[in-house]
């Protein structure tokens, strides 16, 4: 569905297969066109849930328990040379787990640390360790090991698992290959990792700059992708279309939806400043969604925003 955003503490993992957009395009989106044609006999409008996935799809490795290593598709990554030109030179440090022996006694008990050394970790030198790629090359493999292994006695097994996964996610960039060769993309939410927080300030600023640039360099690609994927839908019938554009919203979203004559969705519980009269013309305004409390219950959960929403709707 999408990466962590706003107040969410983790990526959403629904276990749904990603669309094969190339296959859909080859047959002219035939299945969708038949469905829309039939719907138009009964409805004058319809809503596209998670319309942002028409700009870019958030894909998570099969079996991933957290979605931390998810990635947008399509995407334009960085070459090693590009990162080095921006002062980011220790690529190995940023793309692999780095566990220091100082975690023994702080994050893990001595018994837990000994178990990790025996089963999951290998030394890198200088007191640093990383997860063994032959044992747990992916989050899914790590979860399988923890599920099947004979673990040392501990008070809370779930907390131990959580600490192990937190260390496994202590990565700032991940690699992928495409027709242009190997590329690197930043991990969404990497600012929360121990690795990022312990970087020197100048290095941290360089990494943050690349992280922000990652999103701006996708603008043209994601705009073109949205037009390519959504145009057949818009032209298939005379129905009005509303797109649920909530979540980690790309900067190009409003312009793309306006170009395609798709109504945006605005939720007053999420609004911080705007009165309904200030929204763009092609906008559907709602007090809440299926993911939020109803407006009457709002003040007990989202106090300030809910009160502003109620005031704006008067």
């Amino acid at each position: 569905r999408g990466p962590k955003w706003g107040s969410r503490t983790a990526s959403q993992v629904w276990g749904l297969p990603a669309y094969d957009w190339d296959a859909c395009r080859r047959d002219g989106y035939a299945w969708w066109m038949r469905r829309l044609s039939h719907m138009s006999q009964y409805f004058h409008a319809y809503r596209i849930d998670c319309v942002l996935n028409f700009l870019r799809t958030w894909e998570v490795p099969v079996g991933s328990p957290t979605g931390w290593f998810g990635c947008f598709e399509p995407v334009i990554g960085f070459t090693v040379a590009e990162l080095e030109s921006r002062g980011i030179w220790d690529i190995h440090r940023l793309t692999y787990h780095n566990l220091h022996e100082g975690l023994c006694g702080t994050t893990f008990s001595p018994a837990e640390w000994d178990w990790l050394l025996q089963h999951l970790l290998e030394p890198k030198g200088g007191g640093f360790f990383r997860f063994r790629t032959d044992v747990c090359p992916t989050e899914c493999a790590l979860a399988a090991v923890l599920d099947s292994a004979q673990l040392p006695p501990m008070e809370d097994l779930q907390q131990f698992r959580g600490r192990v996964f937190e260390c496994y996610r202590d990565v700032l960039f991940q690699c992928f290959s495409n027709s242009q060769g190997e590329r690197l993309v930043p991990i969404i939410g990497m600012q929360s990792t121990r690795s990022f927080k312990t970087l020197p300030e100048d290095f941290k600023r360089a990494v943050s700059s690349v992280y922000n640039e990652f999103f701006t360099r996708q603008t043209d690609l994601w705009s073109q992708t949205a037009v390519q994927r959504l145009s057949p839908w818009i032209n298939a019938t005379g129905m009005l279309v509303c797109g649920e554009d909530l979540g980690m919203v790309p900067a190009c979203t409003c312009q793309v939806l306006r170009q395609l004559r798709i109504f945006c969705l605005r939720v007053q519980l999420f609004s911080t400043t705007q009165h309904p009269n200030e929204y763009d013309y092609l906008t559907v305004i709602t007090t809440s969604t299926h993911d939020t409390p109803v407006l009457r219950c709002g003040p007990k959960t989202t106090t300030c925003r809910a009160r502003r929403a109620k005031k704006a709707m008067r």
Side-chain angles (χ1 to χ4, degrees):
R1 165 77 194 289
K4 56 181 291 184
W5 60 275
S7 61
R8 297 186 184 275
T9 58
S11 172
Q12 300 177 71
V13 181
W14 289 4
L16 301 176
Y19 285 120
D20 186 337
W21 289 106
D22 290 335
C24 292
R25 185 168 57 253
R26 283 195 296 271
D27 72 358
Y29 303 91
W31 185 86
W32 295 109
M33 298 304 102
R34 291 195 301 270
R35 185 178 178 87
L36 290 168
S37 178
H38 186 75
M39 286 172 52
S40 66
Q41 301 177 59
Y42 306 100
F43 307 107
H44 295 101
Y46 64 94
R47 169 182 175 272
I48 301 178
D49 193 34
C50 309
V51 74
L52 300 181
N53 283 303
F54 285 81
L55 283 75
R56 78 294 182 274
T57 305
W58 177 250
E59 297 184 353
V60 173
V62 174
S64 174
T66 68
W68 180 258
F69 292 97
C71 185
F72 290 117
E73 171 61 35
V75 71
I76 302 173
F78 295 91
T79 64
V80 172
E82 284 180 305
L83 295 182
E84 290 177 342
S85 71
R86 289 161 171 78
I88 302 174
W89 51 269
D90 194 357
I91 304 302
H92 189 276
R93 160 77 170 77
L94 304 179
T95 55
Y96 286 91
H97 328 93
N98 291 274
L99 287 74
H100 192 266
E101 58 189 5
L103 292 174
C104 177
T106 55
T107 302
F108 299 102
S109 69
E112 291 170 343
W113 183 252
D114 287 342
W115 185 89
L116 291 173
L117 292 179
Q118 293 177 32
H119 297 88
L120 296 181
L121 303 181
E122 61 184 6
K124 292 178 55 182
F128 284 92
F129 299 82
R130 73 174 184 182
F131 285 92
R132 290 170 52 185
T133 55
D134 61 321
V135 175
C136 46
T138 65
E139 271 193 316
C140 185
L142 175 60
V145 171
L146 294 175
D147 287 339
S148 61
Q150 184 67 38
L151 299 175
M154 58 188 68
E155 294 183 2
D156 193 322
L157 176 60
Q158 286 303 113
Q159 285 190 7
F160 172 72
R161 287 172 59 93
R163 295 194 298 271
V164 173
F165 273 108
E166 182 180 354
C167 290
Y168 195 87
R169 296 193 298 267
D170 198 17
V171 177
L172 304 187
F173 288 83
Q174 58 181 326
C175 302
F176 73 96
S177 297
N178 59 18
S179 57
Q180 280 75 48
E182 187 176 83
R183 295 292 186 270
L184 295 100
V185 294
I187 296 289
I188 305 302
M190 67 177 182
Q191 296 88 342
S192 65
T193 64
R194 184 186 295 107
S195 283
F196 180 83
K197 293 176 181 178
T198 56
L199 289 175
E201 286 303 317
D202 57 341
F203 206 106
K204 190 182 296 184
R205 285 192 294 271
V207 171
S208 296
S209 176
V210 166
Y211 184 87
N212 294 328
E213 182 187 336
F214 168 76
F215 293 99
T216 58
R217 67 164 44 192
Q218 315 304 325
T219 297
D220 290 342
L221 173 63
W222 288 352
S223 296
Q224 295 165 10
T225 300
V227 172
Q228 181 185 70
R229 293 175 177 176
L230 284 167
S231 292
W233 290 53
I234 306 306
N235 299 327
T237 72
M239 290 188 289
L240 296 175
V241 184
C242 175
E244 185 223 23
D245 53 334
L246 305 177
M248 183 178 278
V249 184
C252 60
T253 303
C254 285
Q255 179 181 347
V256 169
L257 297 185
R258 191 178 300 116
Q259 175 185 343
L260 295 171
R261 306 185 306 282
I262 296 176
F263 285 74
C264 298
L265 179 65
R266 294 294 173 264
V267 183
Q268 282 302 108
L269 280 176
F270 299 155
S271 176
T272 57
T273 57
Q274 286 185 294
H275 187 280
N277 291 341
E278 299 172 356
Y279 289 118
D280 291 338
Y281 180 68
L282 295 178
T283 303
V284 173
I285 306 170
T286 180
T287 56
S288 59
T289 75
H290 58 282
D291 291 322
T292 68
V294 296
L295 187 60
R296 184 176 181 84
C297 298
K300 296 179 181 179
T301 54
T302 54
T303 52
C304 295
R305 284 187 173 182
R307 283 198 292 269
R308 282 195 293 267
K310 277 189 172 182
K311 182 177 180 180
M313 295 302 290
R314 289 172 184 165

